[in-house]
């Protein structure tokens, strides 16, 4: 059904197509560590379920995956808490920006989905349930390392500290949910875990590798290890498609045709079920807060390969 | 990749699973013709791209497809007006009910997507562009007949008249868009076409057949005729997935895993790309205005077959 | 309690203070007849309950009173329909612009107050109740002539036609209310009356005279004729104070301290209970759609006289 | 202009009229100390600018004045910071409930007025500017004692602690404003002062006495001491009229016709400029969160006396 090309050549071809546009878009400036990133960084990594890979550009430079981490914490929470997740958070696109509080007021403190900030904080609260923040942070990091089959992923403590220092809006969201009973743990603990999760750092190569279990019904295709149930995998892909790019999710689905999740660090993880996991990184963001060149690269990749869940 | 079972047996098995729940949900009551429908009606029709079919229940009873028609008028508009469509309507999930005007005010008269009422009226305006309402209505009906390879589909004039008589909310949406310049034709003409489009009547069997081109990249797999371009087909499926069930689109994607479009008449059209087009009909609606038993039937079908674009 | 100065000298002094700012602000441009007004027009008229007056500037030039007319139609409706008015319209400030539809959706088709467009249309519907639009329009004009003790006030048919031709937003509001049952008459009739009411034309002198009954508990102080009950008078003044300047009502109350009602034609009617009725006219509007120089003139008048209901 | 009756007889007459309705409404239950109040409490106190008083019911029982305190902190802030107040907070009615965050998002972190919770927290931040929270709390208490010419007013520490323990919503508002730069001090300090301010306790007699300077252009009529400028007094009365009863301010203005400020403890302070300050207390609240019997008592008082700023 899908053509499987020579992946390294494919990666280089897509990279070459977009390389002239490196540096377009606006780098996130709300914390110094992100603002200092070279806007010309650009990387692309393709990990096929058969073990082959294709890499291009700065694919071995670690970057802050930011909200891409929400995919992995949701995976942990669904495995740990099951359907209880849906008593804390919805599964619908929000129609509003990533940090909107309007929707929370209208819907009595239940975030629309796990990929807006409020939803991810609510998910974090579930991870905390019986453990302290340090244990929860360690569990997240362990999961990232296990999924990427690498000790590379780490928490950038400087970024975590910056997130906390500038986190008034997220603190507001958390206290708001607390007032409705959506959070069961201490607000400060939930925020602590959330800020550390956002500060996870990985290379594009590691990120593409870490997404492979999502392209293979929950099982790491290279180790055979099941990371999440088939149902959890289906749920995550579905949410990535409908909610993964904030208020540009519909446009991403239409252009790229694959479930994807972006972060303000400029990273995007996209999954072609049964085929491949793809990670891109380019720090310049478009008006919706998603990587500008990264999105274009995924669109080009989809054109080159014909990969799309709608075909 | 997908198992292709004996379709008639499959249709009967799914029908039998849900038959005990016939009559659940609330029949739409805003017009007499819909309110008078027997709530126990239930039909399921599967049309495979290889020409085989499976049918169960009231599959040869015509019903009002209502908003399912938006799929077909969007197809016509994309073929006729191309990218100009996106200057009139967006491609994002709305996060609000089907007839909300709040979003229109916030976004200066541009509807979020073609599947909410305002968006469909804006699409209708494009179809009108160079023709009168009667010509536009005829073009829509012709398309339905061509896609279903049948002369069965018709416009129920009684329902069209009822829609017009109770259409204050839609009139409000249309005048609102007119005030922002989203509509170029006369408001009354656009509403006229819209009310007739909503009154299209088809059987489940005809509807499943009519969706086959969407399961086959725009080409009717049985006649070989191209109805829309491959890109238009991709666009429609993507929008069905992200926006096809109003404010329950995320939930439908998660449970059913196929692009789908519902109507308040109780019909749903779902597409498994490369495989099949499925139509269900059961008039009782759930809280989100989508067929309650119809949604459950599609969920059961997806479980039985493993069909999902996320697998 | 309040000083009563020599009114002609007062009017001239206030006029002279603001004359240098004539022409500031933006003239309403949504209909040609308003856009064509000389922005340097400026008039001030004070009518004291003891019969004395003070006039300055273009006080004998007729202008389109636009939404100032809402004061008089509310008076008519309260006298005609009594408390039934409050089943159609609220009595709270809206916190949103004059033509917002968001509030209507949230509050199920009941406008927040009679001075936003939707509220005035709902009031119009009450005036229509048992009569045709021509009779209702005639009743409004008769009331304006009676209150101003003059045959001067008239309906500018050119403006009424322009209002209708550009009235999509108001049509949208009316159909929206109709969908909720707020309107009992035909939408087109209610809009017809509303557009004519907005087209009422008066001089500043006539308008100040027409407001005198509101400064005297409902009784015309010069003829002794009761135009409305004391309670209706109280209700109108209260609503003028809290809702008379759209989303700048709080600011107007704070600066001017008198109940007032503005129109996009650049007119404002202000009432000092027990003392005087004041009309100003200057076509340039501020960001909130109220006469810029007119508001400043009333603020200056309040400073000169000490008039304020909060003193 | 206004009749000045025998005040003690007046107080008793109004009290007697409403006494049968004691206990109606719902006592605020969000903190234990408020929930424990006897719902049958009812008090009325009238303080005339000439020094006479009228008292009835539980007028010497201290109660939690809650949001009525916002009148006094606004007075302090306007005297201290002058027009800088308006860079932090608006002066318009909100059209939304007292603790809504929707408006804050739409208007970039600037609360609509100083009498909704967010606005009062922003005012608190101004009081803190150069001092610690203990100093600011002491200043507020000192002002209440000075205005009431009594050492009676105190901060109920149990209530302050309860406010803090259940203050997630207010914490959310504060962090939200912090994210927009509306607050310059530490969020926890601003909340600390705010929670103590809400916990101010006074008797009805003390509260009526404390409001006298507002009925006399800023000067305590009995001591001759100026507490605030005439302009500050005017500003406060104007805001009480347009914003003092949350989303029922228009209704209160229409029924009572006097500037007033309510609190969820069941107290209301109303001012008749040049005449009197009136305090009522009855813990049962109406649907808008204002004292049900207290509002009715003020309406009866207005009817008995003819007091209204609109007459």
């Amino acid at each position: 059904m899908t053509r499987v090309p020579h992946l390294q050549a494919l990666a280089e071809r897509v990279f070459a197509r977009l390389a002239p546009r490196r540096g377009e878009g606006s780098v996130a400036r709300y914390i110094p560590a992100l603002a200092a990133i070279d806007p010309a960084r650009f990387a692309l990594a393709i990990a096929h379920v058969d073990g082959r890979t294709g890499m291009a550009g700065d694919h071995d430079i670690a970057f802050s995956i930011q909200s891409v981490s929400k995919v992995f914490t949701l995976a942990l929470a669904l495995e740990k808490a099951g359907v209880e997740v849906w008593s804390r958070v919805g599964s619908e696109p929000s129609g509003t920006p990533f940090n909107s509080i309007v929707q929370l007021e209208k819907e009595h403190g239940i975030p629309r989905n796990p990929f807006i900030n409020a939803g991810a904080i609510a998910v974090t609260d579930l991870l905390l349930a019986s453990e302290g923040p340090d244990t929860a942070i360690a569990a997240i990091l362990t999961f990232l390392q296990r999924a990427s089959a690498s000790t590379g992923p780490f928490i950038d403590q400087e970024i975590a500290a910056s997130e906390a220092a500038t986190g008034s809006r997220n603190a507001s969201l958390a206290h708001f949910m607390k007032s409705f009973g959506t959070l069961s743990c201490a607000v400060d603990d939930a925020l602590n875990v959330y800020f550390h999760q956002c500060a996870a750092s990985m290379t594009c190569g590691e990120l593409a590798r870490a997404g492979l279990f999502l392209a293979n019904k929950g099982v790491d295709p290279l180790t055979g290890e099941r990371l999440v149930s088939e149902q959890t995998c289906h749920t995550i892909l579905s949410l990535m498609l409908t909610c993964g790019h904030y208020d540009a999710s519909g446009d991403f689905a239409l252009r790229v045709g694959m479930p994807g999740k972006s972060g303000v660090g400029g990273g995007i993880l996209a999954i072609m079920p049964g085929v491949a996991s793809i990670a891109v990184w380019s720090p310049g963001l478009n008006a919706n807060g998603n990587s500008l060149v990264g999105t274009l690269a995924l669109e080009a990749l989809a054109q080159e390969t014909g990969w799309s869940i709608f075909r």
Side-chain angles (χ1 to χ4, degrees), chain A:
Chain A
M1 184 189 191
T2 50
R3 292 162 273 148
V4 182
H6 186 280
L7 293 175
Q8 183 57 30
L10 171 65
E12 288 170 12
R13 206 157 56 240
V14 170
F15 184 86
R17 254 175 84 176
L18 271 307
R21 304 194 58 175
R22 284 174 188 227
E24 288 190 20
S26 304
V27 174
R29 308 219 158 276
Y30 73 99
I31 58 174
L34 289 181
I37 296 294
D38 177 358
R41 291 289 186 195
F42 179 26
L44 174 69
I46 309 168
H48 199 276
V49 290
D50 66 10
R52 288 180 302 139
T53 61
M55 309 268 171
D58 304 315
H59 61 85
D60 55 359
I61 307 288
F63 66 94
S64 185
I65 66 168
Q66 293 286 325
S67 291
V68 182
S69 64
K70 292 170 183 171
V71 169
F72 300 97
T73 49
L74 176 61
L76 276 172
L78 282 169
E79 290 298 295
K80 180 179 180 185
V83 293
E84 199 200 323
V85 169
W86 310 118
S87 66
R88 307 290 189 86
V89 65
S91 56
E92 294 301 324
S94 68
T96 50
F98 65 98
N99 60 1
S100 173
I101 207 162
V102 167
Q103 173 269 323
L104 270 190
E105 178 159 322
K106 197 170 110 197
E107 300 182 279
H108 310 296
I110 302 295
R112 281 234 125 194
N113 67 64
F115 291 157
I116 53 174
N117 289 12
I121 295 169
V123 165
T124 299
D125 181 77
L126 280 165
L127 294 183
L128 268 166
S130 52
E131 344 189 20
D134 291 346
T135 309
I137 295 166
I140 294 169
L141 181 57
T142 299
F143 190 80
L144 289 175
Q145 294 177 334
R146 193 172 145 219
S148 62
S150 161
T151 56
F154 65 101
I155 306 293
D156 186 320
Q157 296 297 339
E158 183 195 339
I159 289 183
S162 284
E163 299 280 355
T166 61
S168 294
R169 185 69 169 253
N170 288 317
S172 176
L173 293 167
H175 282 285
F176 199 81
M177 289 189 287
K178 186 75 180 178
S179 78
F180 280 103
T182 305
L183 303 186
S184 53
C185 302
V187 163
D188 286 346
D189 284 351
L191 288 170
N192 186 0
V193 177
Y194 178 71
F195 292 140
H196 279 82
Q197 152 194 338
C198 290
S201 276
M202 301 171 75
T203 68
C204 241
E206 290 161 358
L207 183 56
R209 175 67 182 84
L212 264 187
F213 74 100
L214 293 171
N216 194 44
K217 303 185 180 180
V219 173
D220 184 324
L222 306 186
T223 65
E225 186 188 15
R226 177 167 290 287
L227 273 77
V228 298
S229 72
E230 185 170 344
Q231 192 186 342
T232 290
C233 181
H234 190 275
T235 296
I236 291 171
L237 291 178
S238 172
L239 287 164
M240 288 171 77
L241 198 287
T242 55
C243 316
H245 280 70
Y246 308 121
D247 210 12
S249 299
D251 190 60
F252 187 85
L254 196 146
R255 290 175 186 280
V256 176
M258 291 183 263
K261 182 73 204 81
S262 69
V264 291
I268 305 177
L269 174 66
I271 305 295
M272 182 61 198
V275 182
S277 164
I278 308 117
V280 292
W281 174 44
S282 172
L285 307 178
N286 61 24
N288 288 294
N290 302 310
S291 175
L292 191 155
V293 171
T295 303
L296 293 175
L298 287 168
E299 196 177 350
L301 181 77
Q303 286 169 355
E304 294 263 347
T305 57
W307 292 350
S308 164
I309 60 172
F310 300 113
R311 284 202 181 92

